[in-house]
Amino acid sequence: MRRSIVTMFMVLAIVGTIGSLAYPVFYSYPHRFDAVKAAIADPGPAVNTPWGPLTVADRDLVVRVELEGLWEIPAGRQAVKLAPTKAIKEAGDHLVAGHTDLDKRVRSVAADLAIALPTQPTAEQQGWLAELSAAQGDDYRREFANLLRDEHGRIFQALAQVRSSTRNTLVRELATATNRTELDHISVLEKTGYVDFDAIAHEATASPAAIPTGFPSP
């Protein structure tokens, strides 16, 4: 009798142990992607607009497009003025024309979505302009091509992320237009023959692009 009771307790203990181990597996399996789904579905606090929800990432992209134009238009004009080579001058022309058009688009979108835009480049962008102004000859051509190509590559990746996830029609249209312009600029910069692809690839691997959030208010 005592042996039967001991055996029964041993069986119950084994069943309980197996159950406690199996429960988390069976429970968690249907919910294994819940965290990933939540991260994708919620890119940040959003506000409703007539054109769809507007997230933090959406607003930051609009601001970033404006910031790109605030320093790339002066950089392009400088390249046209110096005209050290035909290819550099062409790249400068494309920068000025492309961002002048984008500036009109982004201001219209910002007005509709009540987004405050900056009126001057960031401190970092002003530093880039100063670097270009201080460079001469071949150093200038190399600095111009690589500095602008590197920055275009960064925003190109950010554009793809927002374009694929935004639910706001105006932001999607702006991202599409900016994507075309940035690709054109990347192409003409690469045609200058001064782009160091190895350095750009190394930097991209070391610090992959991310969508910045929370730009300081202008």
Side-chain angles (χ1 to χ4, degrees):
M1 182 67 176
R2 181 178 300 173
R3 181 177 299 176
S4 298
I5 295 174
V6 171
T7 301
M8 181 179 68
F9 276 113
M10 289 179 65
V11 171
L12 290 174
I14 293 172
V15 172
T17 301
I18 294 174
S20 64
L21 293 173
Y23 175 77
V25 175
F26 286 104
Y27 173 79
S28 64
Y29 186 79
H31 305 280
R32 63 194 184 283
F33 294 128
D34 284 358
V36 176
K37 291 178 181 178
I40 295 175
D42 183 17
V47 296
N48 292 323
T49 76
W51 301 273
L54 182 71
T55 67
V56 171
D58 293 337
R59 291 193 294 270
D60 285 349
L61 182 69
V62 174
V63 172
R64 184 166 180 176
V65 172
E66 176 68 9
L67 283 170
E68 291 298 304
L70 287 175
W71 87 276
E72 289 183 24
I73 290 177
R77 287 173 177 164
Q78 183 186 60
V80 172
K81 181 179 179 180
L82 294 177
T85 68
K86 181 180 178 180
I88 294 291
K89 182 179 184 300
E90 180 183 7
D93 281 330
H94 280 242
L95 290 177
V96 174
H99 281 288
T100 298
D101 177 68
L102 283 178
D103 185 65
K104 297 176 183 177
R105 292 174 180 267
V106 76
R107 288 180 181 277
S108 175
V109 170
D112 288 335
L113 298 177
I115 298 175
L117 294 177
T119 57
Q120 61 181 4
T122 65
E124 183 179 37
Q125 291 169 335
Q126 292 177 34
W128 294 337
L129 289 171
E131 289 179 24
L132 290 174
S133 297
Q136 295 180 356
D138 207 49
D139 288 338
Y140 171 81
R141 293 188 281 271
R142 188 174 294 105
E143 187 80 10
F144 173 82
N146 285 280
L147 186 58
L148 284 150
R149 170 59 179 82
D150 185 47
E151 181 60 14
H152 276 78
R154 290 179 183 278
I155 192 172
F156 198 61
Q157 296 178 54
L159 281 166
Q161 295 178 46
V162 174
R163 175 64 178 79
S164 65
S165 63
T166 185
R167 293 170 289 167
N168 189 281
T169 303
L170 294 183
V171 173
R172 188 179 303 114
E173 291 174 352
L174 177 64
T176 300
T178 306
N179 185 76
R180 288 195 298 264
T181 300
E182 295 295 314
L183 182 57
D184 170 71
H185 292 174
I186 286 174
S187 299
V188 293
L189 287 165
E190 291 174 350
K191 288 179 181 178
T192 63
Y194 285 94
V195 174
D196 186 343
F197 292 100
D198 291 336
I200 289 177
H202 176 74
E203 185 173 346
T205 302
S207 56
I211 302 174
T213 57
F215 279 114
S217 300

